[in-house]
Amino acid sequence: MNETKRVALITGGTRGIGLGIARSLAQSGYGLTLCGRRNREEIEGVLRELGTEGAMAHYVQADISRQPDRVKLIEEARNHFGRLDVLVNNAGIAPPERRDILEAQEESFEFVLRVNLQGPYFLTQLAARWMMEQGQNSRGFRGTVVFITSVSAEVASVNRGEYCISKAGLAMSARLWAVRLAEFGIPVYEVRPGIIATDMTSGVQQKYDALIEQGLLLQPRWGTPEDVGRAVLALVSGAFPYSTGQVIMVDGGMTVGRL
């Protein structure tokens, strides 16, 4: 096992929040395995950018909602780096079409939950087994798992119920894995972003601009992928060694109760 550089696997790591996380880890010397559904040719610029940060970035085209792709992703990460220190379950999708829950379609529900919940749940199973193996073979090994959820895990949006349910389920997944992996010394954290400026939120920019102007947030600005990246870096670097199973809010104070 390569002892000179820690390696992170970031799902959906070539755009949006995932890329913000990848940048933060690259700047701190991590080797990166990134996955997404796009062809490699479409993300060559991202890989070059991360390379200028000093990172070895390996891309695997994989759809985490599919079991064979999850297996392929872990196998390719193992073959390329030979180790895995950090899993960041970041990949997620919005509903193809926002619909009121009175008009919601089962096909959209199943699609969103396969990507946002079922995929990371079982990818964590594969990664955890590998981390446990590394821990048995290397006394200094320190694995970490991070789930990127959303304030939608607790804030209801009736025009995208399937997304809210998927994130609420992912929040429980983080707790379950924190409990199960504690005996192996593998901490598990949940990072819960709020309104983050990405391609996923670009279509509702005017809506959130107005809400921010009206005082929705204590810190009146959009969050950035880098805000989330810095939070993840702190967690995986061991800055919170006695906090497994905890939720880190990156929401500008959106969910702070106020009178």
Side-chain angles (χ1 to χ4, degrees):
M1 188 168 65
N2 178 6
E3 298 291 347
T4 61
K5 178 175 288 192
R6 285 168 57 79
V7 175
L9 167 56
I10 307 170
T11 63
T14 64
R15 68 198 320 169
I17 288 175
L19 181 54
I21 297 168
R23 286 169 175 153
S24 291
L25 270 59
Q27 292 165 4
S28 294
Y30 281 74
L32 303 174
T33 296
L34 310 175
C35 82
R37 294 184 293 184
R38 291 184 290 172
N39 295 325
R40 182 183 175 90
E41 292 74 19
E42 299 178 70
I43 52 87
E44 285 288 355
V46 170
L47 297 180
R48 285 195 297 271
E49 175 198 336
L50 294 172
T52 64
E53 302 286 355
M56 291 180 58
H58 176 57
Y59 180 70
V60 181
Q61 186 176 5
D63 179 349
I64 63 165
S65 71
R66 301 183 65 253
Q67 190 269 348
D69 282 24
R70 294 192 294 269
V71 172
K72 179 184 78 169
L73 175 58
I74 292 295
E75 288 179 347
E76 290 205 22
R78 186 188 285 263
N79 290 337
H80 190 82
F81 284 110
R83 68 181 293 161
L84 179 65
D85 302 86
V86 172
L87 170 65
V88 181
N89 286 301
N90 165 76
I93 59 169
E97 182 180 353
R98 290 185 176 220
R99 286 176 176 258
D100 186 281
I101 57 176
L102 289 171
E103 307 296 333
Q105 297 180 331
E106 291 192 32
E107 293 81 3
S108 177
F109 188 95
E110 292 171 355
F111 177 52
V112 170
L113 263 71
R114 280 200 307 271
V115 175
N116 291 5
L117 180 54
Q118 182 174 336
Y121 186 86
F122 285 102
L123 180 63
T124 301
Q125 183 186 75
L126 295 173
R129 290 171 178 170
W130 184 11
M131 288 181 181
M132 290 159 56
E133 173 191 325
Q134 291 174 95
Q136 292 173 346
N137 296 330
S138 175
R139 181 174 299 178
F141 175 77
R142 178 169 56 84
T144 309
V145 178
V146 179
F147 287 83
I148 307 298
T149 63
S150 167
V151 293
S152 293
E154 63 179 32
V155 178
S157 298
V158 296
N159 64 346
R160 52 175 188 156
E162 59 268 63
Y163 182 81
C164 295
I165 290 171
S166 72
K167 293 300 184 177
L170 201 61
M172 176 52 72
S173 297
R175 295 189 189 102
L176 289 167
W177 283 112
V179 173
R180 187 65 186 92
L181 297 180
E183 66 179 280
F184 302 102
I186 301 173
V188 180
Y189 305 100
E190 177 190 350
V191 174
R192 195 174 287 183
I195 302 170
I196 308 297
T198 68
D199 54 354
M200 183 184 291
T201 56
S202 61
V204 289
Q205 180 177 349
Q206 290 185 342
K207 170 186 174 180
Y208 286 117
D209 281 346
L211 289 172
I212 292 170
E213 181 68 22
Q214 294 163 16
L216 177 66
L217 309 178
L218 296 180
Q219 295 173 283
R221 68 169 175 84
W222 283 74
T224 67
E226 287 69 31
D227 289 323
V228 182
R230 285 189 283 270
V232 172
L233 177 61
L235 292 171
V236 304
S237 298
F240 294 84
Y242 197 53
S243 299
T244 190
Q246 298 306 302
V247 181
I248 307 300
M249 306 299 297
V250 187
D251 67 351
M254 175 182 176
T255 54
V256 174
R258 286 166 279 172
L259 292 174

